[in-house]
Amino acid sequence: MAITKLGHMKEVKKGHPSSHLKNAIRYILNPEKTEGMLLVGGNSGVTAEEVYRTFLETKEEYGKLYGRQGYHFIISCRPGEATLEQIYQLVKRWCEEYLQDDYDYVFSVHKDHAHLHGHVVFNSVSRTTGYKYRYEKGDWEKSIQPITDRLCGELGLPKLIFEKEQRKTKHYAQWKAEKEKRPSARIIMQADIDAAIQKAKDYPEFLSQMRKMGYELREGYSEKKKEPYLTFYADGKKRGCRSYQLEEGYHVPDIIKRLQNKKINGGK
């Protein structure tokens, strides 16, 4: 079962420090991916705006608006390995047992691909103590995996894949994603692209919105793909990600089409 990965959202240097967090919340609560928000839960609100405001209020209460903003946990099943109800219950119960009410969190199940996958986004600041969540070496084995494996067993699901020799201090999916050049940060990048499209009226404004979020952009044309592309450089990283390396819907022709459809539909 269930390849898993845990990624974090850094502070944005330009603009609001929690922009990546806001976009990640919007991304996992996308109605098109969650059967019109039916496959959603959590302890922080109903809409993306409510959840984000709850996260922000906790940060403001303890004076911790900067630094690491939140965490994004993903559980993914192979096609046919779990039902919607099983994966929903797995994610829900994991949140209730691991995060409890110590952290603001929201979760969802996406069914827009052949493999079902659950998302959890939780605040970096504890709502009960004000301390920041810290992931230390060995926490996966000591705290996270035992809960997840037990829940998988109770729900009739296989345990998580675990390859100790290969992954060292990383869980399997993170090691596998890096091996395949698919860092989990791309999920955050796609969420940021969604947010920029929502705010922009045309392609030049989309580029402007991405730059406001701290991305450096380079435009190019792929002879192999026969399409234009953007290279995104996040948080001052020297190595960028090209748009055609992202999922469908995030290539340059797709972005332009989404902007055009938004204009036709009156900006929605």
Side-chain angles (χ1 to χ4, degrees):
M1 154 94 187
I3 49 178
T4 63
K5 53 190 171 186
L6 178 65
H8 64 265
M9 285 150 279
K10 294 180 179 178
E11 169 192 345
V12 175
K13 301 302 181 184
K14 297 179 181 179
H16 198 284
S18 61
S19 292
H20 290 323
L21 175 63
K22 184 176 185 179
N23 295 338
I25 292 169
R26 285 177 174 172
Y27 177 83
I28 76 165
L29 296 184
N30 185 338
E32 295 180 2
K33 298 174 182 284
T34 58
E35 287 196 340
M37 300 286 283
L38 290 176
L39 303 174
V40 167
N43 65 359
S44 303
V46 177
T47 68
E49 290 303 317
E50 287 175 346
V51 172
Y52 174 65
R53 172 48 55 185
T54 298
F55 280 39
L56 208 56
E57 286 174 352
T58 297
K59 295 178 186 298
E60 290 171 347
E61 180 180 354
Y62 292 103
K64 295 184 177 179
L65 292 169
Y66 300 96
R68 196 161 292 183
Q69 295 295 304
Y71 292 82
H72 190 167
F73 184 89
I74 303 169
I75 298 176
S76 179
C77 308
R78 297 184 182 88
E81 195 170 39
T83 65
L84 271 175
E85 179 62 21
Q86 284 175 316
I87 188 67
Y88 183 88
Q89 288 299 322
L90 175 60
V91 178
K92 177 177 182 290
R93 291 175 61 184
W94 184 87
C95 289
E96 291 171 347
E97 292 200 28
Y98 184 68
L99 300 173
Q100 301 180 30
D101 268 332
D102 289 332
Y103 291 89
D104 306 315
Y105 67 82
V106 63
F107 70 88
S108 67
V109 175
H110 286 188
K111 53 173 297 186
D112 55 323
H113 293 288
H115 63 285
L116 297 173
H117 49 290
H119 293 265
V120 179
V121 171
F122 62 95
N123 205 346
S124 60
V125 180
S126 168
R127 57 159 56 165
T128 55
T129 67
Y131 291 118
K132 280 203 165 185
Y133 177 87
R134 291 179 61 86
Y135 180 82
E136 303 287 355
K137 181 178 179 180
D139 281 356
W140 178 263
E141 290 85 352
K142 289 187 297 183
S143 305
I144 300 176
Q145 185 162 353
I147 292 174
T148 315
D149 282 352
R150 176 173 53 76
L151 292 175
C152 284
E154 292 176 3
L155 292 167
L157 297 169
K159 292 183 178 181
L160 299 180
I161 296 170
F162 178 72
E163 293 198 359
K164 189 172 182 179
E165 292 182 2
Q166 294 284 5
R167 72 185 189 88
K168 297 181 181 178
T169 61
K170 302 174 183 176
H171 49 76
Y172 176 75
Q174 183 180 347
W175 167 80
K176 186 173 186 291
E178 290 177 0
K179 182 180 179 183
E180 296 177 359
K181 298 180 181 179
R182 295 186 296 102
S184 59
R186 294 187 189 181
I187 291 173
I188 298 172
M189 186 178 294
Q190 289 174 184
D192 289 340
I193 291 171
D194 286 340
I197 290 173
Q198 187 176 13
K199 294 177 183 177
K201 65 178 184 293
D202 53 30
Y203 188 66
E205 189 174 347
F206 163 79
L207 299 178
S208 176
Q209 290 293 337
M210 292 300 293
R211 291 188 176 103
K212 285 180 181 178
M213 285 188 274
Y215 287 92
E216 291 185 20
L217 306 175
R218 291 183 186 175
E219 298 184 74
Y221 185 85
S222 169
E223 291 293 341
K224 184 177 180 180
K225 300 286 183 181
K226 301 299 180 185
E227 67 179 50
Y229 67 84
L230 284 170
T231 305
F232 300 93
Y233 296 87
D235 298 320
K237 291 183 178 179
K238 293 182 179 179
R239 186 174 182 178
C241 174
R242 294 186 175 183
S243 53
Y244 59 69
Q245 296 173 312
L246 302 173
E247 294 180 10
E248 290 184 15
Y250 298 93
H251 301 193
V252 167
D254 297 332
I255 292 170
I256 293 172
K257 186 176 181 180
R258 289 172 65 184
L259 287 163
Q260 290 171 343
N261 288 340
K262 178 186 167 188
K263 192 173 183 179
I264 292 171
N265 294 326
K268 296 181 180 179

